[in-house]
Amino acid sequence: MLGEQIIKGLAVTAKNFFGSYVSEERLPTLQYPEERQTLPEASRQFPFLVFDGDDPMKGLRCVACQICEKECPPKCIYIVKSKDKRVDYKGQMQLYPATFDIDLSVCMSCQICVEVCPFESIKMDTDFELSNSDRFGGLLVHKQQLAKSNEHYRKIHPNDAAISDAALAVEVAKAQAKAKADAETKAKVAAETKAKAAAQPAPAA
Amino acid sequence: MFDCFRMVHEAKTESGPMAAGLANPAAAPALQNYQLLPKPTGDGELLEISMGPQHPSTHGVFRMDVVLDGERVVKLKPVFGYLHRNHEKIAEGTSYLSSIPYTDRLDYFCSMTNNWAYCLSVEKLAGLQVPERAEYLRVILAELTRLQNHASLCGFLTQDMGASGTPLMYAFREREKILDLFEAISGARMMCNFMRFGGLRCDAPIGWLEQVKKVVAEFPAFLDEFAALLNQNEILMSRTQNVGVLSKELAISAGITGPMLRASGVNYDLRKVDKYGIYDRFEFKVPLGDHGDVYDRYMMRVLEMRESIKILQQALPQIPDGPIVDPKAKLRGFRPKAGEAYGRIEAPKGELGFYLISDGSPNPYRYRVRPPSFVNLTILEDMCLGHTVGDIIIILGSVDIVLGEVDR
């Protein structure tokens, strides 16, 4: 019969229509600002800079190596290296970013900066409510706004943060072992030179 | 040649003139009685109209210069380039790694397969080996991409035919479930940026594979529902059957690939031809069309979704544990030795290929994309000639274009 399949199709539509009043999974609407979806842990929006300790500016892990600036596909990161050096988390003297800006209107949330960073210092945030009435200045965020604590990172990405913390602990242990070994060699060399110095006058005399 | 099956229109011969004409080509003249519009006489005045780039049914910023005799098309010139964003030249100026997020934006429905094609060509260039687990995850992600692309195409195509919203809504409801899986594994719904040279960016989170199993198990129910809703619908069949016929010979000589080629009856699927990745381990069939019309192209997508589910059902239980990236692959300072490579995969829209020339520097010397929907679009005029303006829309819809990929 002509039109039989149309009626069959309309039955499907009717089933879906009435089903939407009965079945819970057919009611996916969330009343947004009051109700919120739980985001998956991998969720990513825009980058932030991780700092350790209490002072955001002093504790920044970033050493201004500019790898992320170079690798960033849309080139939205702008870094100026500092003139002086300061002690980093490993106890070594390192540069720090005098300026670290990210233009959020250019950033495409691709996470390449996070992957290439060798210092675990830039990570992806999950905050997406960043609308701003200032179109140019408001979306250009500086290091003061970008700096967020490691606790914040642990909260939003617990699994990734555990891996990152473990990697840093290894680095610190390595650096300490190296410092210790260095100190030992230094002491040894110093002792040897001293011994030599002590031994040298003997043949002359 | 390959394991395939031929699709036969399940048209009931007694159910009306439009279906009868198609199951049996000899009965085709019966259709002529239902010709509502007069045939072009050739003595009327020609009318040239510009469709697009703001036309809502051109699937993006695509323009067609159409010359009409009455309501019939006598000439059609596709005009594209409105979304050109210099993808190839940008990629030649940045490192190999930095191009991956840009490949997401080519065909923004299928970022996973775009990533795969690019990574495949870089892996050929640098000689990287992909670990077993990563290969399985790649197949799973690519087939999920195919499911959601074909589902939304069926929705869009019926939307173009005037089924205003309902099938599209049902298709998008299913697509959203797959996009949730993508968000859980990669962090983004559409711009996944997930595959890396020699593997994947990270492993699947705990419980993700169980979620995939659930979605895959529920998907056939959607296909059955969609079939009941539309596949045999008389209006759909009369709008699509014998419209936009693409012959086998023309399809081959124009370089058409993907479901559009197979709808014309050519048994060619890169998953069977190249057996890239681990596709030789799975049993699946290649559906083939008989007529090469819009209905065949529509049914091709529906049938391919069933085959994708078969692949997923085989891949999900087999997935081994292990690393997900080749230890030789480097993120920073990646410099493949000088040479050239062409990597191609069967993307949901056809053969997607990336051609790379390396001169040993951190960025490619030449970077070329072979986009399937761009090549498939070149044949548009031949399919549209003699049809009405309303038919152009559904012929264009059945090609399955994404302008991000056409214009690059």
Side-chain angles (χ1 to χ4, degrees):
Chain A
M1 191 188 81
L2 187 63
E4 186 190 334
Q5 295 294 329
I6 296 179
I7 293 163
K8 203 174 153 194
L10 286 172
V12 174
T13 321
K15 204 178 128 203
N16 270 284
F17 174 70
F18 291 112
S20 68
Y21 286 95
V22 186
S23 151
E24 192 70 26
E25 64 176 39
R26 283 186 191 276
L27 299 166
T29 310
L30 282 179
Q31 300 297 329
Y32 160 57
E34 290 83 27
E35 290 175 8
R36 271 155 199 278
Q37 212 175 5
T38 42
L39 295 166
E41 203 201 310
S43 170
R44 59 174 201 254
Q45 297 298 337
F46 291 108
F48 70 95
L49 293 172
V50 188
F51 71 84
D52 298 307
D54 300 322
D55 188 348
M57 286 306 103
K58 277 189 183 145
L60 277 186
R61 287 179 189 170
C62 177
V63 299
C65 67
Q66 292 179 313
I67 291 177
C68 55
E69 188 186 24
K70 210 174 89 213
E71 289 284 344
C72 175
K75 305 277 179 263
C76 70
I77 303 176
Y78 176 70
I79 302 172
V80 175
K81 285 185 184 183
S82 62
K83 296 261 163 39
D84 54 329
K85 288 189 175 183
R86 68 177 184 205
V87 180
D88 74 344
Y89 66 96
K90 283 195 272 188
Q92 292 171 342
M93 294 307 279
Q94 289 278 19
L95 295 168
Y96 60 93
T99 309
F100 196 114
D101 294 347
I102 293 180
D103 192 344
L104 295 188
S105 62
V106 176
C107 177
M108 61 185 193
S109 314
C110 66
Q111 211 176 354
I112 293 281
C113 54
V114 177
E115 282 168 62
V116 297
C117 181
F119 301 96
E120 307 280 343
S121 67
I122 188 164
K123 297 289 170 193
M124 294 310 269
D125 207 346
T126 49
D127 188 12
F128 52 87
E129 287 150 326
L130 297 160
S131 61
N132 203 300
S133 55
D134 181 5
R135 190 174 144 195
F136 299 105
L139 290 172
L140 183 73
V141 288
H142 308 293
K143 65 172 179 178
Q144 285 80 6
Q145 292 117 291
L146 285 169
K148 283 177 187 167
S149 66
N150 198 21
E151 279 67 44
H152 173 74
Y153 180 46
R154 281 181 193 141
K155 208 173 82 191
I156 56 174
H157 299 303
N159 290 334
D160 290 351
I163 295 166
S164 153
D165 286 348
L168 282 181
V170 169
E171 287 287 313
V172 170
K174 236 190 244 171
Q176 278 170 353
K178 192 164 175 273
K180 208 176 157 195
D182 280 353
E184 272 169 16
T185 14
K186 222 176 183 180
K188 211 172 157 191
V189 170
E192 270 173 18
T193 32
K194 209 175 167 189
K196 253 184 203 164
Q200 219 127 51
Chain B
M1 185 162 64
F2 307 116
D3 195 11
C4 67
F5 64 93
R6 205 156 271 277
M7 184 169 83
V8 182
H9 285 164
E10 292 160 23
K12 292 174 193 158
T13 37
E14 74 277 10
S15 75
M18 62 282 257
L22 299 152
N24 177 11
L31 269 177
Q32 301 301 317
N33 303 334
Y34 283 78
Q35 206 89 53
L36 291 176
L37 296 156
K39 287 217 144 187
T41 49
D43 54 357
E45 211 172 306
L46 294 181
L47 177 70
E48 186 176 347
I49 58 167
S50 170
M51 284 181 75
Q54 295 93 351
H55 197 280
S57 69
T58 53
H59 295 237
V61 279
F62 175 62
R63 189 162 81 86
M64 288 171 281
D65 259 343
V66 191
V67 181
L68 298 173
D69 178 5
E71 179 81 1
R72 304 273 168 188
V73 180
V74 294
K75 206 176 159 197
L76 185 145
K77 192 177 139 205
V79 183
F80 28 71
Y82 293 96
L83 204 61
H84 180 62
R85 38 195 206 287
N86 220 350
H87 171 65
E88 292 177 3
K89 207 67 199 171
I90 289 174
E92 284 163 21
T94 57
S95 68
Y96 285 88
L97 177 69
S98 302
S99 303
I100 299 181
Y102 283 124
T103 62
D104 288 342
R105 276 120 181 119
L106 283 174
D107 174 357
Y108 39 77
F109 272 85
C110 326
S111 60
M112 289 289 187
T113 48
N114 294 347
N115 286 177
W116 192 358
Y118 178 54
C119 290
L120 195 70
S121 60
V122 176
E123 280 151 15
K124 276 188 182 175
L125 196 63
L128 298 171
Q129 289 298 318
V130 183
E132 195 87 330
R133 186 176 171 83
E135 289 277 28
Y136 272 93
L137 277 171
R138 279 182 178 192
V139 167
I140 290 168
L141 291 167
E143 293 308 319
L144 285 173
T145 306
R146 201 179 311 278
L147 283 180
Q148 58 103 350
N149 178 71
H150 285 355
S152 44
L153 185 269
C154 293
F156 279 129
L157 184 55
T158 45
Q159 166 99 336
D160 288 344
M161 280 179 241
S164 55
T166 308
L168 182 65
M169 215 74 85
Y170 292 0
F172 265 48
R173 189 185 65 205
E174 297 308 309
R175 173 174 178 258
E176 203 54 42
K177 289 176 191 166
I178 295 174
L179 292 187
D180 283 347
L181 294 175
F182 286 174
E183 189 175 11
I185 193 168
S186 76
R189 287 167 66 246
M190 288 170 79
M191 302 299 143
C192 298
N193 180 24
F194 188 59
M195 297 191 190
R196 290 288 174 274
F197 315 136
L200 302 169
R201 193 180 74 212
C202 57
D203 205 343
I206 300 151
W208 187 80
L209 288 167
E210 276 65 45
Q211 286 177 41
V212 180
K213 276 178 196 158
K214 196 164 154 267
V215 169
V216 170
E218 285 169 0
F219 209 84
F222 158 71
L223 288 179
D224 293 342
E225 185 190 33
F226 210 74
L229 181 69
L230 278 174
N231 286 3
Q232 298 291 311
N233 186 303
E234 283 88 352
I235 301 174
L236 180 114
M237 284 162 94
S238 65
R239 276 304 299 277
T240 54
Q241 293 190 346
N242 273 1
V243 168
V245 176
L246 177 63
S247 70
K248 206 173 181 175
E249 293 73 31
L250 188 60
I252 292 171
S253 54
I256 307 297
T257 46
M260 206 173 148
L261 178 73
R262 294 192 285 275
S264 294
V266 184
N267 189 354
Y268 183 78
D269 187 323
L270 283 179
R271 289 175 292 175
K272 295 272 188 192
V273 177
D274 270 14
K275 297 191 171 67
Y276 61 93
I278 49 164
Y279 271 111
D280 49 345
R281 297 186 197 174
F282 305 115
E283 269 179 35
F284 64 100
K285 288 180 178 173
V286 180
L288 292 182
D290 251 352
H291 310 265
D293 54 6
V294 174
Y295 186 74
D296 271 12
R297 273 172 236 141
Y298 167 78
M299 282 306 291
M300 192 57 52
R301 267 80 185 210
V302 175
L303 295 171
E304 274 195 9
M305 279 194 267
R306 300 235 183 230
E307 297 302 317
S308 287
I309 289 170
K310 271 189 210 163
I311 298 178
L312 282 166
Q313 281 167 344
Q314 291 169 56
L316 281 166
Q318 290 177 18
I319 185 164
D321 283 333
I324 43 113
V325 74
D326 186 353
K328 277 194 291 178
K330 282 200 296 181
L331 270 179
R332 293 183 292 268
F334 179 74
R335 286 160 184 263
K337 59 182 187 300
E340 59 177 346
Y342 180 66
R344 58 179 189 173
I345 66 160
E346 181 73 30
K349 292 177 170 65
E351 175 189 332
L352 174 65
F354 281 82
Y355 176 60
L356 295 168
I357 301 180
S358 163
D359 57 357
S361 64
N363 36 352
Y365 173 76
R366 180 76 177 100
Y367 174 104
R368 160 88 188 141
V369 190
R370 189 251 184 234
S373 46
F374 172 69
V375 180
N376 291 358
L377 197 55
T378 53
I379 206 77
L380 188 65
E381 185 182 12
D382 300 74
M383 290 192 290
C384 288
L385 288 183
H387 289 293
T388 58
V389 174
D391 289 340
I392 302 177
I393 303 297
I394 60 166
I395 294 169
L396 178 69
S398 72
V399 176
D400 192 8
I401 57 163
V402 159
L403 262 293
E405 189 177 60
V406 173
D407 293 340
R408 301 188 300 293

